[in-house]
Amino acid sequence: MANDDQFKKVISHAKEYGYVFQSSEIYDGLSAVYDYAQNGAELKKNIRDYWWKAMVQMNDNIVGIDSAIFMHPTIWKASGHVDAFNDPLIDNKDSKKRYRADVLIEDYCAKIEAKIDKEVKKAEKRFGDAFNKAEFISTNPRVVGYQEKINEILSRMGKSLEAEDLLDVKALIEELEIADPLTGSRNWTDVKQFNLMFGTKLGASAEHAMDLYLRPETAQGIFVNFLNVQKTGRMKIPFGIAQTGKAFRNEIVARQFIFRMREFEQMEMQFFIKPGTQKEWFEYWKETRMKWHNSLGLGEDNYRFHDHEKLAHYADAATDIEFKFPFGFKELEGIHSRTDFDLKQHEAFSGKKLQYFDHEDNASYTPYVLETSIGLDRMFLAVFSNALVEEELDNNTTRTVLKLPAVLAPVKAAILPLVKKDGLPDIAKQIVEDLKWDFNVDYDEKDAVGRRYRRQDANGTPFCITVDHDTLEDNTVTIRHRDTMEQKRVKITDLKNIIKAEVDVKHWLQKMK
Ligand code: GAP
């Protein structure tokens, strides 16, 4: 399936099966704002829990907090967001459409990358089993040429953005002959910076109201609580503070569904370390976070690191974990070595000391910080788009199946009475009553059982449990596995353990070891 088609399918499937709805849909929607529906809210919660367990519960030296969205406005001055949290924007004079200049350039590079993919696929076909992808990519002159061109463009863009040389960013767009994706026009304005924070007001009367911002990242709530947590939790460096929560950005390029939203959720962890140890912790968290991703089995080839050329105003090293979304490799998570920038800034702006007393060294210092920051909605999109497949079956039919990792699936099992009579629904409902203490389960009695299986496949439910007339005789049921469609006869009393073995967080997180 072409990537565009696949992405359209993802969006319509997410709506049809109660995962994601456009916000305010009956009022024609609100751009780049989405609501999570009955299944989506469960999937999102399960991803959040999976992250929280891996980061907080499994690490003795990491604790979690939940700080407020509203924060003192000086925090955003101190953090640099008021002055530097900008996107470079460019307008097309003919279409009057506004774009992010860096995204136009990145999309241009993505097209070159698609050419590389095409060459690789062609060669794969030609050489069959003897094909060595890594060797081909590093030696084929055409592919090497494409890659060099991408590197050259991105490096120049990075340098120009770093140096705030917006004239060169425009020159690059013109040299590459990048056109408005909607109209093909190349009549561009200059590139300008645009601040992404949403402003709001606190207070009852207009004259006395205080200007506030909706937080654009959750990280600052951790920094300003650093000393409170360290003291009350008697935390010793190295230690981490994690939190999940909403963040808001006035994104201009508001497309790609839940990939880039104006209101979204982050899962962030700030790891406080001794100055000078940041390189080793950077490597540690790169590896650890990649292991977390790989534990979910979305395919190791679907991830890659992308080291930053242009560093954010607070970082001395940074990398993105990119995921292969239906529209290509894009940032899913950021790992940043933030130095002591944030704590020092908050010390300077608040006038309060934010230092750590190291008993071993008998000295105080401002800790350095290693950050891991992942968008929950992006992780949702990664998991969901990767899971949606159309399978050809032996009998020449196809089935749509959402192969979500069982640990994340919203509904773990559907209990289906074969027919709506002879006491089968009562037994099925009793199974629901017993299992719901441990798992989110569904009862479904409508339509023929084959159609119910298909419906649960498309919904991502890992198990279907069918109660039939034999159940009346021997207290056994059929359990059907979503991915293999294999069916087994098992005792009702064994159901809990069979399901637990596959959906239990421990079973999945142990793969990180
Ligand atoms: N505290 C660091 C920070 O906020 P970031 O790279 O700007 O870094 C971290 O954001 C992650 O948040 C990104 O990797 C992405 O997954 C997610 N994210 C950022 N902007 C987003 C948006 N507009 N919509 C959805 N997710 C977003």
Side-chain angles (χ1 to χ4, degrees), residues 81 85 100 216-220 223 247-251 253 257-268 270 308 314 320-321 331-336 338 371-379:
H81 284 81
F85 195 54
R100 260 177 68 175
E217 63 171 14
T218 59
Q220 297 304 324
F223 288 121
F248 304 83
R249 296 182 189 180
N250 196 0
E251 298 283 1
V253 182
F257 191 39
I258 55 172
F259 179 80
R260 199 181 301 286
M261 300 157 88
R262 296 200 163 110
E263 174 182 341
F264 59 100
E265 196 164 333
Q266 289 186 314
M267 306 190 287
E268 299 201 294
Q270 312 295 322
H308 285 206
Y314 48 74
D320 292 336
I321 294 179
E331 174 186 344
L332 169 60
E333 170 159 7
I335 296 164
H336 311 123
R338 290 182 81 127
E371 168 184 76
T372 72
S373 173
I374 175 168
L376 176 49
D377 312 87
R378 277 194 198 174
M379 189 61 200

Side-chain angles (χ1 to χ4, degrees), residues 70-89:
F70 292 141
M71 297 169 79
H72 195 286
T74 309
I75 286 173
W76 304 111
K77 195 82 194 134
S79 67
H81 284 81
V82 171
D83 297 320
F85 195 54
N86 301 319
D87 271 347
L89 298 188

